[in-house]
Every structure is written in structure tokens, then in C-alpha cells.
Amino acid sequence: MDERKWIERILAGDTQSFSCLVAKYEKMAYTIALCILENREEAEEAVQDAFVKMYRALSDFHFDSKFSTWFYRIVYRTALTALRQQRMFVSYEEAGPVDLSNDEVESATALLEREDRKEMIARTLKKLPADEALLLTLYYLEECSVEEICQITELSASNVKVKLFRGRKRFYEVLQDKMKLETAD
């Protein structure tokens, strides 16, 4: 079923359709919030708040843009508001080998063979500045266009393009460093 029908049913009071909409968008919404807040519990709370805001504003959505773009903008703003309320500066912690078993640390080759590609990408994205990780996630994993990213983040197209370029470059550098470290071990 397409989003328009889901939205029409939700507005008519069908809670099952709302559940379908939540199921479709909760993973990317969580990814966006986590990129901004860098804390699982806070990201989950921001996503819940964003779904409530989306539900309340659903009657105002007129399909002028893609529903996902409209909703991800709500998630983005909700997460930024939560970040401001915390009055914290964004810190970029490096992911350490704490979550790896002794077996995995023994051999970098064995580690790379066993490690899921998505997990490798996620770990690399965690090492990037949050804004670059978010833009790369939206562009490559969610397949949003530059225009849609501009609508979500309220950045200019040239700013998005520059951040995507820098993000790709930094992603490659971080991935190369990770590979060097693991092969040295």
C-alpha cells in the first residue's frame, strides 16, 4: 500500500495504518536521531517525539514533497531541539575494539571476512563528524537527493554538496586507517 492511502486511513482513525507507517520509517528516523544525539536512549526518545509530532501534523501534509522528506525533517528538528535542551556540545568518540571478541581481534583478515558489510559501514560512519555521517546516510543509504537533504536539514545545496564531498573523503580515510590498524594487529 502506498503512503497516500496509509495517511488517508490514519486520518480516518485506522491505527493499523499508523503502525505500518511507523514500521517503514522508524529505522531511518532512529539513524538520523542517533547521528545527531549520539546516544541510543535519547535518539529513541527523539524518534518517539517525532512520530507524535508527525501524527499531530499529518492532516497538514499535502504531498508537496515526498512523505519521507517531510517526516525526516521533523525527526531532524526534534533531535536538534533535544540536543539544544541538553546544552551539550557534540563530541565525536572513537569506536574502540571493546565490542569485539578475542577471536576477532586475533586476525584482521578473519575479522573482515566475518564482519557484516553494514556493520563496517556503521562503525566507519560513527567515526565521522555527526553532520557528515548524517548526510552520507541520507544520500547513500536512504537514497535521498541533494534537494531532499536540503529540505530535511535546511542547508543550501552547495553546502550539502561540500559536506558530502568532505564526508566521502573522510569516510575513505577512516576506512583506510581502520584497515591498516587491523592488518597491523
Side-chain angles (χ1 to χ4, degrees), residues 20-132:
C20 294
L21 208 58
V22 169
K24 182 173 182 178
Y25 292 106
E26 67 185 340
K27 188 173 181 179
M28 182 51 67
Y30 175 74
T31 300
I32 292 169
L34 187 61
C35 282
I36 294 168
L37 296 167
E38 297 182 336
N39 178 291
R40 289 180 180 193
E41 293 80 19
E42 292 168 8
E44 289 171 359
E45 189 173 323
V47 169
Q48 288 175 356
D49 291 346
F51 274 114
V52 169
K53 288 177 183 179
M54 178 265 289
Y55 183 78
R56 290 180 179 157
L58 205 51
S59 61
D60 297 331
F61 180 67
H62 301 292
F63 295 93
D64 298 331
S65 64
K66 284 175 51 179
F67 176 79
S68 60
T69 303
W70 179 76
F71 176 59
Y72 294 155
R73 186 173 186 174
I74 293 171
V75 174
Y76 181 78
R77 287 181 170 178
T78 303
L80 286 178
T81 300
L83 187 63
R84 279 188 217 108
Q85 288 173 347
Q86 295 169 358
R87 297 176 189 235
M88 294 175 49
F89 292 103
V90 177
S91 63
Y92 305 112
E93 295 182 29
E94 298 255 321
V98 208
D99 56 343
L100 303 177
S101 71
N102 288 337
D103 254 358
E104 291 171 321
V105 175
E106 285 178 10
S107 163
T109 306
L111 170 67
L112 291 174
E113 288 172 3
R114 285 190 299 262
E115 191 165 296
D116 182 32
R117 185 173 156 195
K118 276 188 172 183
E119 187 177 335
M120 177 67 95
I121 291 170
R123 287 183 184 190
T124 304
L125 285 172
K126 285 181 184 178
K127 292 185 177 186
L128 300 180
D131 60 336
E132 291 175 5

